[in-house]
Amino acid sequence: MAGGPNPLHDFYPALIDVIIPAYNEEQSIAKVLAEIPAGLTREVIVVDNNSSDRTGAVAQAAGATVLREPRPGYGHACLAGMARCFGRPAPEQPDIIVFLDGDYSDYPADMTALVAPILRGEADMVIGSRALGERESGSMLPQQIFGNWLATTLLRSFYGARFTDLGPFRAIRREALEQIGMQDTTYGWTVEMQLKAARLKLRNVEVPVRYRRRIGVSKVSGTVKGTLGAGYKILWTIFRYL
């Protein structure tokens, strides 16, 4: 992983940890880790979510802290990473936690822009919006684009939350994440965080991020079962908290 000084720390010193849930991302995880901006983060935690390939070994060789979460589910993996962050002694807990996918669809270099509003004291949570950024052709399938539009429209209608995306690339202050009290263990993770942040009236902003075709086949949008399962869980989560 990249290392070295980072000028943002001189502007607003902060401990930043990254959580990367990863399921069978052996081909992509080293690329993701190599492109995290130099010196920006204190620890990068890759949560091997019951992979059947060498995801964990590759991530560890690349310098990441590797946790193993045998229970399948995106939320399970994120919660495991959070438990490590929250379990540190108080002076060592991160100020900011970044969530990033391990499939190389996001641009880790955009992390500097993602955390900047928090470092400036302007936001509690920042969503990396693919809708506002540059998307490679074919990087988001039609069902993903429609699903994002529907979910964000419902969030605005029911919760007054003005988001353009449920993008998984996001940064949040640790205290805000603790206040939210995340519970979802599968596909409803991202929308749960956003709707609860809106209900708590946290300072939520979006920044444009770039997006490209992932390495390998998506476990969600790449299958009919995954697409239907994710869509149902996202809608169920939105209506659950009304």
Side-chain angles (χ1 to χ4, degrees):
M1 288 185 298
N6 177 42
L8 278 176
H9 284 182
D10 296 331
F11 174 67
Y12 187 94
L15 288 176
I16 301 174
D17 287 346
V18 181
I19 297 173
I20 304 177
Y23 170 65
N24 287 346
E25 304 293 5
E26 176 184 350
Q27 297 179 352
S28 58
I29 193 63
K31 293 180 180 289
V32 174
L33 296 172
E35 294 186 13
I36 292 175
L40 182 62
T41 64
R42 187 261 306 269
E43 182 176 42
V44 178
I45 304 162
V46 173
V47 184
D48 185 352
N49 195 200
N50 203 31
S51 297
S52 59
D53 65 3
R54 298 181 62 255
T55 294
V58 172
Q60 189 170 18
T65 297
V66 176
L67 306 179
R68 288 174 175 81
E69 172 51 76
R71 294 171 296 180
Y74 185 87
H76 274 309
C78 291
L79 288 168
M82 287 166 53
R84 176 173 175 82
C85 294
F86 295 163
R88 288 179 173 272
E92 299 178 14
Q93 292 194 7
D95 301 296
I96 299 170
I97 296 176
V98 175
F99 293 90
L100 170 67
D101 276 357
D103 58 12
Y104 203 54
S105 55
D106 297 304
Y107 286 73
D110 290 344
M111 194 179 300
T112 302
L114 192 73
V115 300
I118 301 178
L119 294 176
R120 293 194 298 263
E122 299 170 356
D124 299 306
M125 182 176 74
V126 182
I127 303 297
S129 173
R130 300 165 295 184
L132 299 177
E134 298 177 5
R135 296 199 308 264
E136 180 183 11
S137 177
S139 59
M140 291 185 70
L141 298 177
Q143 60 265 34
Q144 287 178 283
I145 296 171
F146 173 76
N148 263 322
W149 172 82
L150 177 60
T152 54
T153 298
L154 293 174
L155 285 176
R156 183 169 58 253
S157 299
F158 296 137
Y159 298 96
R162 296 191 174 277
F163 295 110
T164 63
D165 195 5
L166 302 182
F169 194 14
R170 54 187 59 202
I172 185 169
R173 290 192 310 109
R174 175 185 49 80
E175 293 93 338
L177 186 56
E178 289 179 310
Q179 186 180 4
I180 284 174
M182 292 296 299
Q183 298 178 8
D184 192 85
T185 58
T186 57
Y187 301 123
W189 173 270
T190 56
V191 72
E192 179 194 358
M193 187 184 296
Q194 285 167 252
L195 71 84
K196 285 185 173 180
R199 290 177 66 187
L200 290 168
K201 300 190 183 304
L202 299 180
R203 297 171 300 165
N204 306 311
V205 302
E206 291 184 313
V207 298
V209 294
R210 296 167 292 172
Y211 200 67
R212 60 192 156 203
R213 294 186 182 185
R214 59 156 293 148
I215 294 176
V217 178
S218 171
K219 290 79 175 177
V220 179
S221 61
T223 67
V224 173
K225 179 180 178 181
T227 299
L228 294 176
Y232 170 80
K233 188 59 181 294
I234 288 169
L235 292 175
W236 181 84
T237 302
I238 289 174
F239 288 105
R240 174 190 177 188
Y241 288 99
L242 287 176

